[in-house]
Amino acid sequence: MYETFILRKTGEGDIQGYQWPVEDPKKVVCIVHGIGEYGGRYDRVATKFNEAGFAVFSMDLRGHGNSLGKPGECAPRIDVLDDVSALLTKAMLSYPGVPIILYGHSMGGNIALDYRCRGGMNSVPAAYLISAPWIRLVHPIPEPAYWAVRALSKVMPRFTVGSAV
């Protein structure tokens, strides 16, 4: 079972964190969840990692779980990458010198891959574990809709668009 903590406090709210500690871990896994999920949903996965001697950390991305933001809201990517850096920092401070694995699933896989390219601490993870990454949309957004949504986001940043899936 996980323990919760506040990973970050921002002017708009908090980023919820989760941890599954073990004593003297071989490695630390930092999980970035998929769309519509939350960090605590990985309890079964984290328990298996614990059984293998790995400590685990996760967080609720902005707009998910108990973190700041309107449910389903997409935060600016730079903020999300900074949140991943905060998660890695928490892992490093909790278990100094222990190798870290950044694990991203689905949308979290997209974020982890982006973090590998552009993240502020992208050299920290000893490995990246990516499962079912969201690389591109199955159904591309029509160009006029893309530009309309982009323009609307400047005027009404909290406006949401439903999915026709």
Side-chain angles (χ1 to χ4, degrees), residues 31-108:
I31 299 173
V32 182
H33 66 75
I35 195 163
E37 298 183 329
Y38 67 102
R41 183 173 186 270
Y42 285 78
D43 192 47
R44 280 189 8 213
V45 172
T47 299
K48 290 295 183 186
F49 277 127
N50 282 169
E51 290 169 5
F54 296 7
V56 181
F57 289 91
S58 189
M59 66 177 161
D60 292 342
L61 293 168
R62 294 165 187 249
H64 293 77
N66 292 317
S67 285
L68 66 99
K70 187 175 177 182
E73 185 175 64
C74 293
R77 185 52 70 107
I78 193 70
D79 293 340
V80 174
L81 296 179
D82 286 346
D83 294 341
V84 173
S85 291
L87 189 66
L88 294 173
T89 299
K90 173 75 171 172
M92 289 182 348
L93 293 174
S94 298
Y95 300 101
V98 178
I100 296 172
I101 298 168
L102 184 58
Y103 169 30
H105 174 70
S106 190
M107 179 184 71

